[in-house]
Amino acid sequence: MSLTFHLYYTGTHGNAAAFVREMEESGTADRIRREVGNLQYEYFQPLKDADTILLIDSWRDQEALDAHHASSMMKEIAALREKYDLHMKVERFVSAEDDPGDAAFVRQ
């Protein structure tokens, strides 16, 4: 059972996009992608909201996520969020791969 999060980073004056650029250019995002149990770590921008960036962040299980949260990178990420004065909204999803009832609605 995997865990997926939608993290919406919102700022002003292009700060959310600047945050993502620094995460990518510093290599922090790639370090997260290489962590054991990380399945996806990708940024997107809503077409109608230039001040928001969406991060889709998926983990194999709670144990992998807990290890990520305990890593030193979390302090780096928190410092960058403060630097760019970002506010967050988080949505948490649990995979439905073990629920055969959903399979009828998914086209492979």
Side-chain angles (χ1 to χ4, degrees):
M1 173 180 67
S2 62
L3 304 170
T4 298
F5 299 86
H6 289 181
L7 291 89
Y8 298 87
Y9 292 105
T10 302
T12 57
H13 310 295
N15 280 352
F19 165 79
V20 171
R21 276 193 301 278
E22 189 162 344
M23 286 287 292
E24 292 291 347
E25 291 171 3
S26 70
T28 303
D30 281 332
R31 287 181 15 231
I32 294 167
R33 290 178 185 115
R34 288 191 303 267
E35 283 185 272
V36 173
N38 183 264
L39 304 175
Q40 182 180 18
Y41 195 88
E42 296 295 329
Y43 295 102
F44 300 88
Q45 187 165 32
L47 295 174
K48 294 184 179 184
D49 186 355
D51 288 326
T52 297
I53 296 290
L54 165 64
L55 168 63
I56 298 179
D57 187 19
S58 295
W59 296 87
R60 177 190 63 223
D61 53 28
Q62 188 64 50
E63 182 180 351
L65 178 63
D66 290 345
H68 168 64
H69 284 159
S71 75
S72 62
M73 279 184 282
M74 289 307 297
K75 289 181 183 177
E76 295 174 40
I77 295 167
L80 284 178
R81 286 193 305 245
E82 287 297 317
K83 174 181 176 179
Y84 291 105
D85 190 28
L86 298 180
H87 301 275
M88 296 171 60
K89 178 179 104 174
V90 179
E91 300 170 332
R92 179 182 173 118
F93 304 92
V94 177
S95 66
E97 57 206 22
D98 297 324
D99 183 355
D102 289 336
F105 301 101
V106 178
R107 182 172 185 222
Q108 298 290 328

